[in-house]
């Protein structure tokens, strides 16, 4: 509804769920963003594949009312299986781009107390992100993994780094789609004012349809 010209429908989008509640029970807002514009926001009563598919279907329905054969090329998501499955169900040809930022956030939460080592960890993570091509990306990940195993104490920090390394095949897919969103930064920028709005309105109360319209 925020786009009137079918030629302006974006090929690259981001998707994520905002945790909220309806009448005191857990609920989720399935949000679609692109080009710094919120393109869809719909209620889901659970974070499973069935509920999220129906919630994200609202974006697909509105987009295809404007352009019946609309098919985004890529969608950036976190690692939640239900989100990724929902988008594959709605747009079978879509390419799933894993959010690199979420991998860094996990490492940060596990390694911040390492002080001097964390400075080096941050530097290496973002050097990997800025690698100019897939081969360089893989080489930097391998070097980072080796450094972490040899340098850091055994624990959750090393485990988080190993998880990033294990996701290398998913991360390098983005190099084939230069316009794709590699991090969820744009989504996060819209989540922040939404979180403030939901807090001040005391979240959702009443019927599901009134929440959907809100």
């Amino acid at each position: 509804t925020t786009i009137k010209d079918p030629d302006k429908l974006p090929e690259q989008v981001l998707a994520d769920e905002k945790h909220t509640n309806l009448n005191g029970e857990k609920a989720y807002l399935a949000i679609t963003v692109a080009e710094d514009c919120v393109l869809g926001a719909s209620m889901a009563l659970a974070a499973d594949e069935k509920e999220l598919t129906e919630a994200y279907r609202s974006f697909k329905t509105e987009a295809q009312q404007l352009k019946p054969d609309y098919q985004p090329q890529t969608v950036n998501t976190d690692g939640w299986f239900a989100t990724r499955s929902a988008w594959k169900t709605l747009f079978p040809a879509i390419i799933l781009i894993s959010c690199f930022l979420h991998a860094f956030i996990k490492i940060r939460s596990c390694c911040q107390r390492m002080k001097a080592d964390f400075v080096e960890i941050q530097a290496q993570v973002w050097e990997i992100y800025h690698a100019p091509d897939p081969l360089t990306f893989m080489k930097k990940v391998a070097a980072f993994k080796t450094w972490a195993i040899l340098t850091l104490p055994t624990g959750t920090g090393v485990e988080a780094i190993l998880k990033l390394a294990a996701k290398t095949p998913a991360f390098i897919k983005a190099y084939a789609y230069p316009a794709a969103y590699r991090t969820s930064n744009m989504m996060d920028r819209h989540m922040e004012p939404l979180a403030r709005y939901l807090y001040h309105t005391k979240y959702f109360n009443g019927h599901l349809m009134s929440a959907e319209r809100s």
Side-chain angles (χ1 to χ4, degrees):
T1 56
T2 52
I3 299 175
K4 306 304 179 185
D5 182 350
D7 292 335
K8 292 184 178 180
L9 283 168
E11 288 193 335
Q12 327 298 333
V13 300
L14 304 96
D16 200 1
E17 295 81 50
K18 174 66 181 172
H19 292 222
T20 183
N21 62 64
L22 173 64
N23 297 325
E25 300 293 330
K26 281 186 178 180
Y28 306 86
L29 277 172
I31 301 173
T32 305
V33 168
E35 299 183 20
D36 255 330
C37 184
V38 176
L39 302 177
S42 192
M43 294 290 295
L45 297 181
D48 59 28
E49 182 179 346
K50 180 175 180 289
E51 286 282 338
L52 293 182
T53 298
E54 290 311 305
Y56 283 116
R57 192 184 301 278
S58 296
F59 163 71
K60 177 181 178 179
T61 299
E62 291 188 0
Q64 291 189 341
Q65 285 174 350
L66 192 61
K67 187 176 182 180
D69 61 348
Y70 173 66
Q71 160 75 50
Q73 186 182 60
T74 70
V75 59
N76 175 289
T77 71
D78 62 14
W80 189 245
F81 177 79
T83 306
R84 298 167 72 84
S85 297
W87 278 85
K88 267 295 186 182
T89 298
L90 295 170
F91 299 104
I94 202 165
I95 303 300
L96 302 173
I97 303 295
S98 295
C99 177
F100 190 87
L101 179 62
H102 278 78
F104 171 70
I105 290 172
K106 181 64 176 178
I107 291 173
R108 183 182 64 188
S109 67
C110 296
C111 299
Q112 267 185 318
R113 294 184 180 180
M114 294 181 182
K115 298 180 180 178
D117 283 331
F118 182 59
V119 174
E120 176 62 22
I121 289 168
Q122 288 186 98
Q124 291 203 47
V125 169
W126 293 113
E127 280 183 14
I128 291 168
Y129 176 75
H130 290 293
D133 54 69
L135 182 59
T136 306
F137 186 98
M138 289 188 286
K139 287 180 178 179
K140 286 182 178 291
V141 169
F144 182 42
K145 177 180 176 180
T146 301
W147 175 85
I149 293 171
L150 296 177
T151 307
L152 303 178
T154 303
T156 56
V158 173
E159 290 173 4
I161 290 170
L162 294 180
K163 285 182 180 179
L164 181 150
K167 292 180 179 178
T168 297
F171 290 136
I172 63 174
K173 284 197 300 183
Y175 284 95
Y177 305 93
Y181 297 103
R182 295 177 64 197
T183 75
S184 61
N185 288 7
M186 185 180 294
M187 175 67 75
D188 296 340
R189 285 199 295 273
H190 292 285
M191 286 280 200
E192 288 180 10
L194 176 60
R196 291 195 295 271
Y197 170 79
L198 292 173
Y199 173 78
H200 287 298
T201 57
K202 306 303 180 188
Y203 306 99
F204 297 105
N205 295 281
H207 296 287
L208 177 61
M209 187 51 67
S210 65
E212 180 74 12
R213 289 170 178 165
S214 178

